[in-house]
Amino acid sequence: MFNIEMFFAFGLFSLGLYGVSSGRDFLRIFFSLEMLLNAVIMMLAITAHHLGMTQNIVLAYLVIVLATLEAAAGLLIFAAANKVSGVIIPDELNGEVEK
Amino acid sequence: MLRILDFFDYAKSESLWMAHFCTGCCSLEMAAAMGPRYDWERYGYMPTPTPRQADILMITGLVSKKILPALLRTYAQMPEPKYVVALGACSFDGGPYNDSLAVIKNPTEILPADVFIAGCPPKPEAIIEGLEQVKQKMKDKIPSAASQGGLWKEMEY
Amino acid sequence: MKKIKAILENFDTEYVEDYKKIWIKAKLQSSDALLAVAKAVQDEGLRSLSTVSPTDFPDRETIELNYFFEDLQTKRNLWLKCDIPRELEKCEIASLTPLFPGAEWHEREAYSMFGVKFLNHPDLRPIIVSEDFIGKTPFRRDFDWEQHEEDVAKNVQAIVDAFKDEQATNEVNLDPESSETVLNWGPTHPASGPIRLRVHCDGEEIISIDPDIGYVWRALESLVTKKDFVGAIVAVERLCFMDNINSMVGYCMAVEEIAGTEITEFAKWMRVILGEVARISSHFMGLGGFFMNLGLHTLFMWNLGTREFFLDFLESYSGARIATASIEPGGVRYGLDMTMFDELQKALDQFDNTVDDIEMIFVNNPTMKVRAKDVGVLSADEVEDYALCGIVARASGVKTDIRIDEPYAAYDQVDMDYVTRSNGAAADRFKVLFGELKQSVDIIKQAKKRIEEGVASGEFNPTKDHMVKVPKKLPAGEALSRVEWARGEVLMHLVTEEKAKSPYRLKLKAPSFNHTMMLNKLLEGQTLSDIPLVFGSLYVCQGDLDR
Amino acid sequence: MNTVIDAFLFPGLFYALVWTVLLYWFFRKFMAPLHKRVGPHFNGPYGSYQTLFDLSKLLTKESITPDGVNPYLFSIMPILAVITALLPTAFIPWTPSYPVVESEYGLLALIVLIGIEPFLLFLTGFGSDNKYSFLGGIRVLTQSISMETAFFLAALSPALLFGTLNLSEIVDQSSWGSFLVLIPGFFLYFITLLGLLEQPPFNIPDAEQEIVYGFYTEYSGTNYFMLKLAEFTEFMAVFAGAATLFLGAYKGLFFDNYLCFFIKMLLMAIVMMILRAATPRITLKQMLHFSWRYLVPISLLNLAWVMLAKNLFFAGV
Amino acid sequence: MLLIDIVKKMVRVSKALMVKSPAQVDVRYEAMHHPARYRGEHTVDYETCIGCDACNKICPVHAITMKHLPLKKQNIVPEVNLSVCIFCGLCEDACPTKPEKSIVLSGGRYDMLSGGWHEEQNDFWVNVDIPQSYIDSRLEAEDAARVKKEMAAKKRAAQAAAKAEAAKRAEAGEEPKKEQKPFDGTPDFSKGVEG
Amino acid sequence: METFLIYAASVALAVFLLYFLGVALAPYAPDIIKNDHFECGLPASSEVPKKANFGFFVYAIMFIVADMTGLFFTLFVYTDSQQGTLMASLFAFIVAFAIILATKEHRYAENT
Amino acid sequence: MTILLLTIVLALAAASLTIKRSVPAMVSFALMMFLLGIFYMTLDAKVLGLFQIFVYTGGIIVLMLFGVTIIGVAFPQAKSRPWSAVAAVLVFVALVALFVRGADKLQLTAGQATEDVHLFAAQFSDFVILFALIGSSLLYGTVKMAGLLKARKKSTAKGERDV
Ligand code: SF4
Ligand code: SF4
Ligand code: SF4
């Protein structure tokens, strides 16, 4: 049962995918990760509403929690990496670590 | 409409906030004027932390050569309408430091004051009364002295 | 004392003589020996160099340098002189800063005022002087200040331009990508007063602080030479208005010493009373300012309220609230009307009313303790090395108080003791300040009782006794006087010429100068929140910082 | 249409303006005797026109937009701040018939809206392009991460006790007994409220003596007025929240009325003032440590206590 | 513990609410404290002034200028520029006239203000308005005095001549009369101001 | 929901009106120095930093975790059973313990 | 209405990835999340919507702001990878195709729409302890790690100074 709202969820998902894979700075990678997760939440909410799969809402809460914790842990790693080597862009990190 | 404008003008004249800037020892008496005995908050004066929210600039006594640019800059950074009050003999001609080689002798020629309060330092009563004169000037719609002239306009600081 | 003399005997001296009770005055034949002498006396225990004071003698073609060494522990002091040539190129002497770190700014001051070059000085930049004087020697006798002033008056813009240039040259070049920055703390700032701290910081953390002073420089030392001996009190009292009486006492003592006048007993006691009243009114501001810098205005307001009563006494006595000009060479200026003591009593009562509240709420404040306990700690060694004085020294456990060490006025008859604490943190300074406030009230009570007794027994005549005549023209001579000011030691070195109407040279050594020097040391590595706290606890007044 | 009128008049803008004028006057007038002063005196009865004049003046003074800032960001932020500060008022049951929006999740909405405010203030600081504002903005951020959790947890305790997030229902169910259970929660709420509103001893972001005026530094005239209005409206929202959650809102001893609500808010303002007059400011680091070492664990334990109390005393409710 | 301490402090602080504020007077119209010695605006008594210039000499800021009168003896009167004056009171101390000082600032006004512009401030003087009649009368008196003096001088000269002759005649030196020391304008520091 | 949106829209409208009233009545006189940054009355001594070095990330992460805890509690509002409430208080205890432990650890890490 | 909302969401999402300055990018990100929350509310999942707003505008944004304070006002330049855009588009097309084609198979049993929150509370309270343990250990671990990093940094700094 395709719903037009799903279309947007896919759009968000692929935007997130683009952001993650285009390899830019940490912050925008976080943005895109959040977008990916939000696309999933969106799908869950839409299916819950339109298809009556109410349990999906519970799943959505779990995804939110996951998203938050992931952001927290990721930011910690980012901060630590930045403190140790002053890196902002993940690509540079490889070189730094080898050094 | 006219009424509303008048009201705002009146409000401006009744609430004078002072930029927190001391240049000389007269500021001691200004502190006393803030204190419990004279309590200038009764009349609606108040110090503000930055000149951005201030209405009056007090030249508290002497203006040394080093602080002159800061004084002018502080004045320039205040929003319109703004008035200047000069305290003490120093702000007229250097006062006791008239023979000194480090003090600007004519600060009010550079930055004209709207009210000059004599004394060294003026009593808190005199300071408050001088500020009341500023209020009166604002009510009479007399434009501020510094906006009409003074050396500061030609200077770059 | 003997040891010091013995040391000096080893060197080539013009004379070595006793001066007053605890001083030795000596003059070196040549300036080359200075470093060696300084090293020797430092080993002997004279670890504080109070100040360096050049005196210019154009007709002798020399500049005489006066060094005042002090030993804060055993109270033996040395006044060392030496001559150096006057021409700008040859006007050089070895710097004592490596030995006595407290001399750093004093030497910089001598450099900018007289052009004395100190060899091996770590950082010989001009200090205090406004930019139009950089490279000139404004305090030399032959400086044509009138011409200079005329030039300035013609072109005010030039000063501003010079200021801008100075700003540009002193700018710290930072990487624009870094998180470091240079903050200005002052002069248009709610807590600073006219001083500017160039705070180089990284986020909240301070990397270094460079105080930029001179914003209220009034050149008092040259100003007094343009006034007569009586008129000079007007300049001297403007050292700082928070406690103006004691600075006048110091100056008048110097004048009296040269004139050879002995003032009356009554005038001495009056000097004690007036001095302590001024000290109280200053301490009130200091206490209030300390808390105001922590964001709490209540104490400041209460103190201002109580202070008014003390100012009332001063006003009744002299006719002005703070610019009293009430000490003159020869005694005190006005006679005393015994009804004025009622007002003094009122002030003391008012003090007694509030002191408990202040102690309970503010001195024992838990938040204050948490904040100020470990901040701005000065050890006793640092106090001696940097020649700190007043409450700052006493909070670190150094027993120094000129009222006891070298009593002047009637302090030798007063029952008092050092108020000290041992830790030297900001909180301790605050507590010493408070202790001294109570001590001052106690002294006033003693002095008041003494005067009342004296008047009752007919010993004093309060309307006549207050003054003895001092001639208008003084003989040639020089004198040194020290007083315990509200903020610490004020040292005045007065030189006069034969038959002159005005002082030839007056050196004012004021305490805030050394204290401000400590800021960088105390605040390095702390956070921005500690700046106002430490600044407030050092009890700095810009008036006596810049002079 | 009623809602629009509400938005303009009663819990909306006009009310916020009146409240701002009154509370500002009250602050100054009450602070003054603590300083042994008089406070505003000569303008109007007891100086009550003084703050009206002050605020009108600020409204019509020149607002300076410094070069180098983004002018839109710079001047839209104060407006947004006022709007977000005004929105929570819609959920609060001012009188038995007066929450504008009757919502199942009123408490959550209240907290969410209060939580957005520091974010806007940070952006004002960041957008000002000024060192002091920058530092002030970061301080706001740090303060909010340390205080908001405890605030949230403390505000949840009545909801847990009464089993609902609807503010009107919470008020309906509140009683003296529940107040006794909620006392620790109320204390926690009050302390964190001080932190959230940047009041002493937590007025770190606009510490005048340290960083001039924090994020307010570059604001003048109308913009500054808006920020001030936002600040005081925030007071209103947070105080009203406290009164609703813990003190039974409009419920009074003898009559239920808006007046009771107002008196409760004023009492809180008075306590805040006295605290302001008695404690100095603490540093950022101390605040963080205080919050995380004491406030958050205690507020969690408080929640546990509320749950247990619900089981023990309110099992039937 | 900390909390209890803070609450205690709060209670103590709120004690201040009971205290009546000292600021009860509208200081625009009334001074809080105005002692008899208060150094405010000057008054110059031109009738007693002897024109000795002592006040001008001692003034540390050169606030006093002497106004010239068309008189011979008391040919100058002080005028004070209040913008410059720092109210130190030295001029009053220096003034030698007795029992009342001719230049007095004790008990003067505190609320001296002046206008804004530098020129306006420049006009802020204590002027001595001397009525023409006074000058005339003084001129007359001076004339009279001069005449008298001339007469006296003649008389004295005559007497001196007579005396000299007498001395010559007597051949024994009488002690010469003590000459009166002219007033040199030195202020008399030993005198206080009665309060 | 709709009421709230209408309310929000009209509040926004009202605030905008007030703002424009203020701006319309205010004078406007910009000049170079006035529009310069305020730097305690002096020309700027260095650039405004573009970054901030802030050592409080640990707290930021703790904030997120504790926020999540709060959200869980929001859901517990609707539990009716005794077992649910007991679970919730156990949960609160555990998290409180964790935070106390974490702050202890942090303090230890800071001091060494 | 919802379509308009979602279009804005997508536009904001794209903006937050392409704007060069960090603060506007983050503001658009926050707005996007806020609008998504409102979208959830329109789907009758009010608590989910409020959660969304709370977590994102209150929590994650604060974290991101810290990130902004590290990164600075402008994003740094990075080398572009055009293939990622292509991949994203491909995935998008694939997803749409999959769902449009296979939508019929996706038809699941449509249950009774109950109050979602009650349901959550009933189902979830057993898991909570597990989550608490996970959260606590994560917290502890991060703090510990931060401490270790700091200590290591300090020791290296000291080592440099010694040399
Ligand atoms: S007029 Fe007097 S009190 Fe004022 S600054 Fe000058 S010297 Fe100081
Ligand atoms: S009071 Fe002082 S300053 Fe004023 S005229 Fe007399 S001597 Fe001069
Ligand atoms: S000192 Fe007295 S008598 Fe002499 S000129 Fe002045 S006012 Fe006249």
Side-chain angles (χ1 to χ4, degrees), chain G residues 15-153:
Chain G
S16 70
L17 286 181
T18 48
I19 293 178
K20 293 234 165 44
R21 296 175 68 76
S22 61
V23 173
M26 216 193 45
V27 170
S28 61
F29 179 73
L31 259 181
M32 179 199 108
M33 288 302 175
F34 188 82
L35 291 182
L36 265 184
I38 287 181
F39 169 65
Y40 298 156
M41 284 186 196
T42 60
L43 287 183
D44 279 350
K46 280 192 183 146
V47 178
L48 184 63
L50 276 172
F51 265 39
Q52 173 87 7
I53 296 173
F54 188 87
V55 168
Y56 280 98
T57 56
I60 297 215
I61 282 300
V62 173
L63 280 190
M64 297 293 172
L65 282 176
F66 276 106
V68 166
T69 58
I70 293 179
I71 282 193
V73 176
F75 284 125
Q77 287 287 326
K79 55 175 178 269
S80 59
R81 288 174 183 155
W83 53 263
S84 65
V86 179
V89 171
L90 280 182
V91 167
F92 177 68
V93 171
L95 274 173
V96 172
L98 191 77
F99 264 72
V100 171
R101 293 290 307 286
D104 303 339
K105 281 164 205 155
L106 250 166
Q107 273 225 352
L108 296 176
T109 49
Q112 199 84 48
T114 49
E115 183 67 69
D116 46 357
V117 186
H118 286 267
L119 188 131
F120 177 86
Q123 292 195 342
F124 195 62
S125 55
D126 298 341
F127 292 107
V128 154
I129 301 299
L130 191 67
F131 263 88
L133 286 175
I134 293 173
S136 316
S137 57
L138 182 80
L139 189 70
Y140 186 77
T142 49
V143 171
K144 186 106 189 172
M145 181 182 145
L148 277 179
L149 273 175
K150 214 170 183 179
R152 211 182 72 198
K153 203 187 161 200

Side-chain angles (χ1 to χ4, degrees), chain C residues 227 230 234 302 312 315-320 323-324 328 333-335 340 343 357 360-361 364 366 466-467, chain E residues 2 5-6 8-9 12-13 15-16 33 35 37-39 57-58 60 86 88-90 93 186-187 189 192-193:
Chain C
K227 301 201 186 288
V230 176
V234 173
W302 289 12
D312 276 356
E315 193 179 17
S316 306
Y317 172 70
S318 71
T324 53
E328 263 183 21
R333 190 156 142 210
Y334 298 101
M340 286 167 191
E343 259 177 357
D357 279 348
M360 151 92 197
I361 301 169
N364 298 328
H466 58 89
M467 189 87 132
Chain E
L2 192 87
D5 227 10
I6 288 178
K8 255 198 233 160
K9 270 87 283 176
R12 195 81 185 236
V13 164
K15 253 175 59 182
H33 186 254
R37 266 182 198 167
Y38 178 72
R39 305 200 292 249
K57 273 187 206 147
I58 196 137
I86 57 168
C88 60
L90 289 177
D93 282 8
T186 315
F189 289 123
V193 180

Side-chain angles (χ1 to χ4, degrees), chain B residues 58-118:
Chain B
M58 300 265 225
I59 305 179
T60 56
L62 73 108
V63 178
S64 71
K65 281 176 192 164
K66 203 162 178 177
I67 214 165
L68 178 75
L71 181 81
L72 295 178
R73 217 181 168 83
T74 306
Y75 176 75
Q77 292 196 335
M78 282 162 50
E80 298 283 338
K82 49 191 174 184
Y83 285 75
V84 181
V85 177
L87 302 186
C90 282
S91 63
F92 171 68
D93 80 326
Y97 312 125
N98 196 4
D99 305 336
S100 159
L101 40 82
V103 172
I104 299 274
K105 307 299 186 305
N106 51 354
T108 44
E109 259 175 34
I110 296 172
L111 185 61
D114 292 283
V115 167
F116 166 77
I117 303 170

Side-chain angles (χ1 to χ4, degrees), chain C residues 381-416:
Chain C
D381 278 346
E382 274 170 330
V383 166
E384 291 199 39
D385 285 345
Y386 285 90
L388 306 183
C389 48
I391 57 148
V392 179
R394 289 194 283 277
S396 302
V398 179
K399 291 198 169 172
T400 161
D401 188 334
I402 293 156
R403 286 174 292 177
I404 303 173
D405 301 344
E406 196 184 351
Y408 55 94
Y411 280 110
D412 43 355
Q413 303 166 47
V414 171
D415 177 24
M416 63 183 287

Side-chain angles (χ1 to χ4, degrees), chain B residues 7-8 10-12 14-15 17 34 36 39 41-44 46 49-50 52-55 77 79-81, chain D residues 28 36-43 50 53-54 57 60-62 64 212-213 216-220 224:
Chain B
F7 168 74
F8 282 121
Y10 188 79
K12 271 175 200 161
E14 277 299 332
S15 123
W17 292 2
M34 277 176 226
D39 189 16
E41 200 182 0
R42 287 185 292 167
Y43 305 89
M46 220 165 76
T50 75
R52 294 288 194 200
Q53 293 113 29
D55 310 302
Q77 292 196 335
E80 298 283 338
Chain D
R28 282 167 67 176
K36 302 188 180 166
R37 289 187 289 123
V38 176
H41 188 65
F42 288 108
N43 277 326
Q50 185 58 52
F53 290 147
D54 281 348
K57 175 205 76 177
T60 55
K61 235 174 136 60
E62 182 186 4
I64 300 164
V212 188
Y213 209 7
Y216 289 127
T217 305
E218 285 287 3
Y219 279 91
S220 61
Y224 180 62

Side-chain angles (χ1 to χ4, degrees), chain A:
Chain A
M1 217 189 188
F2 185 73
N3 195 298
I4 190 72
E5 285 151 5
M6 284 181 186
F7 179 79
F8 290 98
F10 298 148
L12 201 61
F13 188 83
S14 46
L15 261 178
L17 206 64
Y18 164 72
V20 170
S21 58
S22 64
R24 294 195 246 179
D25 50 297
F26 271 110
L27 198 62
R28 276 190 281 187
I29 287 182
F30 285 137
F31 283 176
S32 7
L33 277 175
E34 296 300 331
M35 280 173 203
L36 284 174
L37 287 165
N38 257 287
V40 173
I41 297 174
M42 234 167 123
M43 277 302 287
L44 289 171
I46 292 165
T47 47
H49 184 68
H50 290 293
L51 307 181
M53 294 148 66
T54 19
Q55 299 91 329
N56 281 4
I57 292 289
V58 177
L59 222 52
Y61 293 138
L62 294 189
V63 175
I64 285 195
V65 173
L66 198 74
T68 330
L69 294 183
E70 167 262 317
L75 200 89
L76 184 88
I77 293 166
F78 168 35
N82 184 271
K83 261 212 164 140
V84 172
S85 55
V87 169
I88 296 176
I89 301 171
D91 284 358
E92 289 171 8
L93 199 58
N94 299 330
E96 283 294 322
V97 169
E98 275 158 26
K99 243 191 243 169

